[in-house]
Amino acid sequence: MPQATKKPVVIVTRKLPDVIETRMRELFDARLNEDDHPMSQADLVEAVREGDVLVPTVTDRIDRAVISQAGPNLRLIANFGTGVDNIDLDTARNRSITVTNTPGVLTEDTADMTMALILAVPRRLTEATAYLKDPRNQWAGWSPTWMLGQRIFGKRLGIIGMGRIGQAVARRAKAFGLQIHYHNRRRVAEDVEQELEATYWESLDQMLARMDIVSVNCPHTPATYHLLSARRLKLLKPTSFIVNTARGEVIDENELARLINSESIAGAGLDVFEHEPSINPKLLVSERVVALPHMGSATLEGRVDMGEKVIINIKTFFDGHAPPDRVHPAMF
Ligand code: 8YV
């Protein structure tokens, strides 16, 4: 453990909210990214060679090649984000580097965005707005048969991943009259199931074939990579919609694009993509896809809360305690 008197060198890979950066400057020897340029793999290697702590985000690939070049002082990777699929946890553990994340504080914002997509796709919100704003169009006025979408109330929502965010989505969806179904590694506690009136499906395949809307809310791990594979996507009803605010890698994106364009799936609301920032162009051109640039947790309050969690994790670690949001590789 470094001397208590020496401020730890904390290298932050992206620009964070001002209030967080100010506090980091006070507490740590903070090296900040003023102009928010994404760091290259070479920059990241340089950072782990010099720092006591690295604070990466989802845009940084902290893989084996980076971690294995870490200097002797690097003791902590304090991720600014909940998902840790950007970090090679096994290599970090082998090098005795602690990894922390920021769970809990982005649950409600991400669930709001999920709900927004659950409403936006079947009710054709972005398609209708784009129509009105396009100067080539002249709206002829209301019509009883124009821009019809699908009713939300009474439909079946299948949530994949019933953790904090999945449950927060279920609470909202229930209030909109959706019937809640879910698939999870483990069945959730009985009182939670009762509160949400949720039906558990041990078989993801069976659930998929019966849902009207499917929402992906599980982390990306080796076990969930392409969980919605080409085979499973084909189980969906042609009238069904998919929403993903978790990680693009959980869905076979090429196959999803193909099935949407061939009208084998009714549409998708996507906040995340398999090869961010690249997006399959077939998804972008489809009227039946609502695409967002990974902004599920993009509220000012959420980003400040995430920054505070990062600070608490670093501070506790250097005060000699176990940081509250320590990530154990077995959890993922
Ligand atoms: C964050 C997220 O914006 O926390 C996560 O896992 O997906 C996002 O909401 C991002 O990860 C920040 O690094």
Side-chain angles (χ1 to χ4, degrees), residues 57-302:
T57 74
V58 69
T59 57
D60 306 302
R61 198 159 37 81
I62 314 300
D63 55 15
R64 183 190 296 260
V66 170
I67 300 177
S68 54
Q69 295 183 69
N73 294 336
L74 190 85
R75 301 289 318 284
L76 175 65
I77 298 174
N79 196 44
F80 181 88
T82 301
V84 284
D85 53 331
N86 54 322
I87 302 169
D88 183 335
L89 297 178
D90 289 326
T91 307
R93 186 190 44 199
N94 291 340
R95 301 267 318 217
S96 303
I97 297 166
T98 300
V99 177
T100 58
N101 65 347
T102 61
V105 291
L106 36 74
T107 304
E108 305 303 332
D109 293 331
T110 308
D112 284 346
M113 194 60 99
T114 309
M115 199 62 219
L117 289 171
I118 289 173
L119 298 172
V121 187
R123 296 302 304 272
R124 304 172 69 176
L125 296 199
T126 55
E127 186 187 343
T129 299
Y131 178 87
L132 288 184
K133 289 187 173 182
D134 186 338
R136 291 167 302 180
N137 295 328
Q138 179 59 56
W139 183 36
W142 185 87
S143 151
T145 52
W146 188 64
M147 272 293 166
L148 303 187
Q150 303 282 331
R151 177 179 290 161
I152 308 289
F153 186 90
K155 294 284 164 61
R156 292 172 156 215
L157 171 67
I159 297 175
I160 302 176
M162 200 56 139
R164 288 191 192 85
I165 296 174
Q167 290 180 29
V169 170
R171 270 182 206 105
R172 284 159 175 75
K174 189 170 169 252
F176 278 85
L178 282 157
Q179 296 172 31
I180 310 301
H181 298 256
Y182 76 99
H183 170 79
N184 199 44
R185 273 178 308 177
R186 281 182 304 274
R187 198 166 170 165
V188 299
E190 210 179 315
D191 58 332
V192 176
E193 256 186 23
Q194 273 170 11
E195 178 213 333
L196 301 171
E197 293 173 57
T199 304
Y200 174 61
W201 294 79
E202 193 176 346
S203 160
L204 176 58
D205 288 9
Q206 286 181 20
M207 181 177 94
L208 290 175
R210 290 165 178 81
M211 294 301 117
D212 300 302
I213 303 168
V214 169
S215 175
V216 178
N217 297 105
C218 60
H220 165 222
T221 67
T224 65
Y225 173 77
H226 279 197
L227 187 65
L228 292 186
S229 58
R231 179 188 70 76
R232 286 212 173 99
L233 288 170
K234 290 194 189 88
L235 300 172
L236 289 160
K237 299 193 288 186
T239 50
S240 65
F241 298 92
I242 292 189
V243 168
N244 188 2
T245 54
R247 282 292 181 273
E249 290 91 336
V250 179
I251 305 181
D252 180 338
E253 187 170 303
N254 281 337
E255 186 63 11
L256 177 67
R258 202 186 67 71
L259 291 173
I260 289 173
N261 285 310
S262 64
E263 303 193 9
S264 308
I265 295 177
L270 305 171
D271 184 43
V272 288
F273 302 89
E274 192 172 342
H275 305 289
E276 289 178 22
S278 312
I279 302 178
N280 185 319
K282 286 191 204 137
L283 291 173
L284 290 179
V285 296
S286 171
E287 282 178 336
R288 295 178 307 120
V289 173
V290 176
L292 298 175
H294 198 147
M295 51 193 283
S297 68
T299 66
L300 183 56
E301 296 91 332

